[in-house]
Amino acid sequence: MNTGIGWAIGLLIFFPILWIVVLSFKTEGDAIRPPLEVLSSMWTLESYGLVQERSDYFRHFWNSVIISVGSTALGLLVAVPAAWAMAFVPGRRTKDVLLWMLSTKMLPPVGVLLPIYLICQRSGLLDTRVALVVVMMLVNLPIMVWMLYTYFREIPVDILEAARMDGAGLRQEVLFVLLPMAVPGIASTMLLNIILAWNEAFWTLNLTAADAAPLTAFIASYSSPEGLFYAKLSAASLMAIAPILIMGWFSQKQLVRGLTFGAVK
């Protein structure tokens, strides 16, 4: 019974992706037919060929890779020391700072779009990967700090104190004691934030035009005032989500392990 319910919920959640897969192998004329006629119509790779002719998929793909991986790496450089300080050297305001950081995620992005847009424009960073890497890092930094903080809290303080008694300095304590023990939490944090940065649409659509446009902009280019090109839009969407789906599939055990054992409870 429970297995059947689980399969039903899984299929319900997965159905939109399955329908995108089906439409991506149809022509535009077939894609707008009733569902049964869509399934019985001829399958073709025409939409994928037209998408690649119209847009440079690999340029958008590499922009997404650089922005998501770069913002995550930069965020870890900030989040690891911040989470270490809050977990092992807490102050009176540590919880207040953590709550304040979390509250920034409740701020509507459109509320700060204008100042960030003007900063990027006047600094010459509009439509550049650098701007998006920095913005994505700042957007996801609260989540990274919270995940690492809750994971670091699970590490026994006695181990760090023993390392200090053996003569380890702060740098050795963090690099050779803390980080090896926190690999699952760091890995899950990294994977989750790569996914969040990869799927981010608001900032990428507003801060890019052509040069730094990632795959979210690649998908949006198939929605125009003339209408929606369902087959081409489905093909572009599948090409955009396929890399992150594959990465998520192969890393799901690591992600679940990190989220379960201390990262988020």
Side-chain angles (χ1 to χ4, degrees):
M1 180 66 178
N2 292 334
T3 303
I5 295 174
W7 273 103
I9 294 174
L11 290 174
L12 183 63
I13 294 173
F14 185 72
F15 179 77
I17 298 177
L18 179 62
W19 194 245
I20 287 175
V21 174
V22 172
L23 292 182
S24 69
F25 289 99
K26 304 296 180 179
T27 63
E28 289 296 343
D30 292 335
I32 60 175
R33 292 182 177 182
L36 292 179
E37 294 184 19
V38 170
L39 293 174
S40 61
S41 61
M42 182 181 66
W43 293 64
T44 176
L45 294 173
E46 175 185 330
S47 296
Y48 289 95
L50 293 173
V51 166
Q52 184 57 31
E53 288 179 8
R54 172 178 168 177
S55 307
D56 188 352
Y57 168 78
F58 290 102
R59 179 172 62 84
H60 293 87
F61 170 78
W62 284 114
N63 283 340
S64 288
V65 171
I66 292 170
I67 292 167
S68 57
V69 175
S71 63
T72 300
L74 184 61
L76 286 175
L77 291 176
V78 179
V80 169
W84 175 87
M86 293 179 181
F88 299 111
V89 195
R92 290 190 307 162
R93 301 293 183 183
T94 295
K95 291 186 177 180
D96 295 336
V97 172
L98 284 168
L99 289 174
W100 171 78
M101 292 183 68
L102 191 61
S103 70
T104 61
K105 295 297 296 179
M106 304 175 191
L107 175 70
V110 69
V112 292
L113 172 61
L114 183 58
I116 291 179
Y117 184 91
L118 292 176
I119 290 172
C120 292
Q121 183 184 50
R122 294 176 182 177
S123 59
L125 294 177
L126 200 60
D127 196 18
T128 64
R129 296 167 179 170
V130 174
L132 284 176
V133 166
V134 173
V135 170
M136 290 296 99
M137 184 274 287
L138 295 174
V139 167
N140 294 325
L141 187 60
I143 295 177
M144 299 179 77
V145 172
W146 262 93
M147 290 184 67
L148 291 173
Y149 167 78
T150 54
Y151 195 90
F152 288 171
R153 292 280 292 176
E154 299 295 322
I155 296 176
V157 180
D158 296 341
I159 296 178
L160 300 181
E161 292 178 349
R164 293 170 198 157
M165 292 180 64
D166 289 339
L170 178 59
R171 182 172 175 272
Q172 288 79 15
E173 177 186 330
V174 173
L175 292 179
F176 302 116
V177 180
L178 178 65
L179 293 186
M181 297 180 62
V183 166
I186 293 173
S188 62
T189 301
M190 179 184 68
L191 291 170
L192 180 60
N193 281 272
I194 287 176
I195 294 171
L196 291 174
W198 187 281
N199 293 330
E200 176 61 42
F202 179 83
W203 292 109
T204 55
L205 293 178
N206 283 286
L207 298 181
T208 63
D211 295 338
L215 286 171
T216 47
F218 170 74
I219 297 173
S221 65
Y222 288 90
S223 175
S224 66
E226 290 79 15
L228 292 173
F229 301 98
Y230 290 108
K232 297 183 186 66
L233 182 60
S234 297
S237 299
L238 188 60
M239 293 169 70
I241 66 176
I244 206 69
L245 283 177
I246 294 172
M247 188 195 78
W249 177 265
F250 284 105
S251 61
Q252 59 180 319
K253 290 184 179 179
Q254 181 63 49
L255 184 59
V256 171
R257 180 186 175 197
L259 292 175
T260 304
F261 291 96
V264 173
K265 288 189 174 180

